[in-house]
Amino acid sequence: MAASAHINRYALACALLASTNSILLGYDIGVMSGAVLFIKDNLKISSTQVEILVGSLNVCSLIGSFASGKTSDWIGRRYTIVLAAVTFFVGALLMGFATNFGYLMAGRVIAGIGVGYSLMIAPVYTAELSPAMTRGLLTSLPEVFITLGILFGYVVNYALSGLPENINWRLMVGFAAVPATGIAGGVLFMPESPRWLVMKGRVDEAMEVLKKTSDSDDEAHRRLEEITKAALDVGTCDTRAAPTGTWRGQGVWKEFLKPSPPLRRVLIAAIGINFFMQASGNDAVVYYTPEVFKAAGIQHRKQLVGVTIIMGLTKTCFVLVSAFFLDKFGRRPLLLLGSIGMAISLAGLGLGSRFLEHSSHKPTWAIALCVVAVCADVSFFSIGLGPITWVYTSEIFPMRLRAQGSSLAVSVNRLVSGVVSMTFLTISSKITFGGMFFVLSGVMIVATVFFYIFLPETKGKSLEEMGAIFEKKDTEGSKVVEVGERE
């Protein structure tokens, strides 16, 4: 497996530390799925307000993700990670001490901005720091931490669900401030991205970082040479460098609005995979799993939260499997496997839900089918779209366009996530949960076709070699990658 290839310990440590920022989003997704049950009763809010509360974090994360590209080009990748953690910390405190729906929403808005920053910057920082042959594993770590955060949120829900409802949900949502503090402090010990340093003209500092993240001085010098060439290249994918030391991300949007054919293919691939990641409905399924299972016949709140823990454990196991095999089998095979599996799982979930909706009693086998189908859906998501979206988005843009290109793609991700989360219950009430899951299954069939046509393989290629892949019009031409092609 890919993990058997040598992993630089320093690069791994930096990737782990940067990726811990993503645990904040995962925790919010997991903990909010249970907390809303108590918030709804305690604050006497409607189902529409629940949808707004849940979806607002995703919509507001659009602000953070959109601003993160320019911010990270200006102040650096490392300090952008600190900014993300601090913003989420403030939002978590506001939510924990909220006395009404308005204050709760204010905290949600601020936390959402922090989430938007963290979703873009962690994969970009890790991709720019990692050697080519282990980049898939290291850049998938943010999704691993999102999944661990979801599981942690489920466990906290279960542990605190027995407390009075005016206290338990406050502890659930406010507890996120604790890891945010540790993350902000820990990131200060990380190095800056070598590629950002080169673009700022700080080549000597970049060389020091590359020596620590490479296996030899020769490899570090080779990587620096490739990075420096890319920073000065005027050809492939319009990677034009600004005067040394003065570059702050200017001119990028002009290239996005009038892209060359290779850059257009990059934009289609990056925006497309981020769109389908959220159009799959995975976030909504995770957020509203208790509602789905309540409709399926599981009524006791502790049982509802307990089932979500089973789902979280399954999701965690499969995201780890994907992370360790990404650099062996490549992005395309796992992505296609995951999307096909999700289409089948969602169809099964729709079938089980439709049967239960038209049944006067709730047979055990139908409830079991729904539980298994939900676990299968999130598992296939964790094999494919979950980790690979972040890996792919962070590695295919040219160096000068990477931060703001990833920012644009992640903004689409958050916008679609917010729309799906804020309309899931409303649409489901019109066409039933079963009908909703059949629609999502159809979306994943379309996604599978899109991935097959528009997403070439990137396994084993250095970031500076990505331009050549998207010069080709077909995906097949870039599927075979020699082991020797590395940074």
Side-chain angles (χ1 to χ4, degrees):
M1 46 193 280
S4 61
H6 177 71
I7 300 176
N8 181 280
R9 291 182 180 179
Y10 187 78
L12 175 61
C14 292
L16 284 169
L17 194 52
S19 300
T20 52
N21 218 25
S22 300
I23 206 169
L24 300 174
L25 171 62
Y27 178 79
D28 181 89
I29 293 173
V31 85
M32 191 54 71
S33 68
V36 290
L37 298 173
F38 304 103
I39 292 171
K40 187 175 182 179
D41 289 344
N42 183 232
L43 297 183
K44 310 299 181 188
I45 61 176
S46 65
S47 294
T48 300
Q49 286 177 308
V50 168
E51 282 186 317
I52 294 171
L53 179 66
V54 171
S56 60
L57 181 130
N58 295 315
V59 173
C60 294
S61 66
L62 175 66
I63 301 170
S65 58
F66 198 76
S68 59
K70 189 74 173 178
T71 304
S72 66
D73 280 342
W74 185 34
I75 66 173
R77 314 316 194 208
R78 187 174 59 147
Y79 287 116
T80 305
I81 295 175
V82 175
L83 178 62
V86 170
T87 307
F88 193 91
F89 171 82
V90 174
L93 284 184
L94 280 175
M95 287 191 288
F97 288 107
T99 55
N100 55 47
F101 183 71
Y103 280 114
L104 190 60
M105 280 298 299
R108 201 86 176 128
V109 168
I110 295 172
I113 294 172
V115 164
Y117 271 104
S118 66
L119 279 176
M120 190 289 291
I121 196 58
V124 167
Y125 173 84
T126 305
E128 293 188 338
L129 195 77
S130 305
M133 298 308 292
T134 54
R135 191 177 61 246
L137 167 62
L138 298 181
T139 312
S140 65
L141 288 177
E143 179 64 22
V144 173
F145 277 92
I146 289 175
T147 305
L148 288 173
I150 291 172
L151 178 58
F152 185 45
Y154 289 157
V155 172
V156 170
N157 279 345
Y158 190 81
L160 299 178
S161 59
L163 295 176
E165 65 180 24
N166 65 322
I167 296 174
N168 56 12
W169 68 263
R170 299 179 192 280
L171 293 176
M172 290 174 184
V173 298
F175 190 74
V178 177
T181 306
I183 292 166
V187 169
L188 294 175
F189 295 97
M190 289 163 38
E192 184 51 84
S193 158
R195 287 171 170 85
W196 183 81
L197 290 171
V198 167
M199 287 188 290
K200 299 295 284 186
R202 295 154 63 178
V203 179
D204 290 341
E205 293 177 57
M207 186 65 203
E208 290 303 312
V209 177
L210 288 171
K211 284 181 178 179
K212 292 178 180 179
T213 58
S214 302
D215 293 332
S216 66
D217 285 353
D218 286 343
E219 181 186 346
H221 282 287
R222 186 172 67 252
R223 290 175 67 187
L224 181 63
E225 191 175 305
E226 290 180 358
I227 294 169
T228 305
K229 182 178 182 297
L232 298 174
D233 190 7
V234 187
T236 304
C237 288
D238 298 328
T239 312
R240 297 170 302 196
T244 301
T246 64
W247 183 82
R248 292 183 177 178
Q250 59 269 30
V252 170
W253 278 93
K254 289 182 181 179
E255 296 181 45
F256 287 160
L257 294 173
K258 293 184 178 180
S260 62
L263 180 57
R264 187 179 302 115
R265 295 185 193 109
V266 170
L267 287 168
I268 290 171
I271 292 173
I273 193 172
N274 276 273
F275 171 84
F276 283 114
M277 180 189 191
Q278 298 304 336
S280 70
N282 180 77
D283 277 9
V285 169
V286 174
Y287 273 127
Y288 297 119
T289 294
E291 295 283 346
V292 174
F293 287 142
K294 188 188 292 183
I298 302 175
Q299 296 296 329
H300 195 274
R301 283 185 177 175
K302 200 134 188 174
Q303 289 179 329
L304 289 172
V305 177
V307 171
T308 62
I309 293 179
I310 296 173
M311 185 176 71
L313 286 169
T314 307
K315 187 176 174 66
T316 302
C317 291
F318 279 93
V319 77
L320 289 171
V321 169
S322 178
F324 281 104
F325 282 97
L326 259 178
D327 289 311
K328 180 178 181 180
F329 294 116
R331 286 52 160 160
R332 273 172 61 90
L334 292 180
L335 184 60
L336 293 172
L337 171 64
S339 57
I340 292 170
M342 287 182 72
I344 296 171
S345 301
L346 286 164
L349 182 56
L351 189 65
S353 298
R354 292 287 283 181
F355 184 88
L356 288 167
E357 288 157 5
H358 293 87
S359 176
S360 56
H361 64 289
K362 307 291 185 183
T364 304
W365 70 264
I367 295 175
L369 173 61
C370 288
V371 173
V372 170
V374 167
C375 289
D377 177 52
V378 298
S379 297
F380 280 114
F381 178 86
S382 295
I383 287 173
L385 268 173
I388 294 172
T389 299
W390 308 123
V391 173
Y392 209 83
T393 304
S394 63
E395 67 185 4
I396 62 175
F397 282 99
M399 181 167 68
R400 184 173 166 276
L401 311 180
R402 184 169 300 121
Q404 294 184 59
S406 297
S407 172
L408 172 63
V410 174
S411 295
V412 172
N413 182 302
R414 303 326 298 160
L415 177 62
V416 177
S417 178
V419 170
V420 172
S421 297
M422 295 177 78
T423 58
F424 185 83
L425 291 181
T426 300
I427 295 175
S428 296
S429 68
K430 302 293 184 184
I431 65 173
T432 74
F433 279 121
M436 187 67 175
F437 293 132
F438 280 129
V439 169
L440 294 176
S441 178
V443 169
M444 289 315 302
I445 292 172
V446 175
T448 303
V449 175
F450 176 87
F451 299 150
Y452 185 82
I453 295 173
F454 291 105
L455 271 67
E457 183 57 77
T458 59
K459 180 188 73 171
K461 293 285 189 181
S462 73
L463 297 182
E464 285 65 47
E465 292 174 306
M466 292 297 168
I469 295 177
F470 285 91
E471 289 282 354
K472 302 175 182 179
K473 293 185 179 179
D474 62 275
T475 57
E476 297 297 323
S478 58
K479 285 167 68 175
V480 179
V481 181
E482 295 297 327
V483 176
E485 292 179 324
R486 66 181 75 184
E487 285 180 296

